Amino acid sequence: MGRAPCCDKANVKKGPWSPEEDAKLKAYIEQHGSGGNWIALPQKIVLTLCWNNICRLKRCGKSCRLRWLNYLRPNIKHGGFSEEEDNIICSLYISIGSRWSIIAAQLPGRTDNDIKNYWNTRLKKKLLGRRKQSNNNSNRLSASGQVDPTKDHHMNSMEENPYPQTLSNSALERLQLTCNCKPSKTLLLLDSAAFMSNMDVMHQSSAGNSDSTTFQAQLDELISSKAVVVAPKNHQVQMAEFDYFKEVGASSKESSIWWTNDVDAKSASSNSWDSTSLLQSEGIFQDYILGYNM
DNA sequence: AAGGTACACAACCGCATTTTG
DNA sequence: GCAAAATGCGGTTGTGTACCT
């Protein structure tokens, strides 16, 4: 038995919202709130009075919710992503994948839809382009700095599909972004809590300090100077400050697992974040470091 | 100027999770 | 505890616009 539709599809308007619809929805929500029931909301909004009939807002409740959250809500920023925001998005994408709502939570005024669109249309190309370029450069060189012709063929095939199993696009992109780092970097071992603490400090300072070093510069500095961080155990409190890390959980067990190592075992599902459980904290930060070293 | 193509973004769809009765 | 409904989320599609030939 299938689910009942959330609204009467035949009597629901689709497509772009008109200014009048926007205005009415905005006014209603600002005055009454969503009432905790988006499905019923459109029925409550009087759009126009035509003849003796009252015309209600002919929109699906889900559509109203989306319109409000992504467009009408106060303090929404559109476009004009800063370099710092780029860095945060890239870093988080590499760390946690396409969990746009979590990424959006770290960028005030940005919506998950906006970030998703921005990633898909611009940032991904920018970064994968950069990776591809750097892959070409680095793989042509052997460890001795000589051109290694055997690498070319390997990388060509790798670029086509380096992981031919059923990895999601998100996972593949993240692999593309993170693979091919210098071997020494793969050995980086960072204490998760200490790293998060540093991240927290960096995040705060860069957020309120636009004229100073960028988020990326600070992270680069951390990476270069603190490849190994001693693990104080009392950073659990700070961990709670990161919503997305909460999900990963402080209770890491096989923490040395790097998500890419075990992705096959989880790839049966289509969800790009099905490796969540694999992303135990240290794995994430190792990944984060790898990804950031682009 | 016209047609084709690429890009950006708004909106929809369907599934998973959470809430409610 | 269960089923239905509501909500949240990520993937995908549709459409308008800019750019190129």
Side-chain angles (χ1 to χ4, degrees), chain A residues 15 17 35 37 41 48 57 82 86 104-105 111 125 142 170 181 192 213 222 227-228 231 239 241 266 275 288 293:
Chain A
W17 282 64
N37 189 345
L41 190 74
T48 54
L57 183 60
S82 67
D86 283 2
T111 68
K125 290 167 192 168
S142 67
S170 167
C181 290
S192 56
T213 30
L222 175 71
V228 176
M239 294 175 86
E241 295 176 11
K266 301 283 178 179
S275 53
Y288 191 107
N293 193 36

Side-chain angles (χ1 to χ4, degrees), chain A residues 70-105:
Chain A
N70 288 337
Y71 202 81
L72 300 174
R73 191 163 48 115
N75 304 321
I76 292 289
K77 284 190 276 182
H78 289 289
F81 281 80
S82 67
E83 190 183 346
E84 182 193 332
E85 287 175 314
D86 283 2
N87 288 332
I88 292 171
I89 294 167
C90 294
S91 304
L92 290 177
Y93 183 86
I94 288 163
S95 293
I96 65 175
S98 57
R99 305 193 76 184
W100 306 115
S101 59
I102 296 172
I103 295 173

Side-chain angles (χ1 to χ4, degrees), chain A residues 158-175:
Chain A
M158 288 285 281
E159 277 173 13
E160 281 169 19
N161 189 354
Y163 306 94
Q165 294 85 356
T166 54
L167 294 183
S168 66
N169 288 339
S170 167
L172 283 170
E173 282 164 19
R174 292 164 66 208
L175 280 168

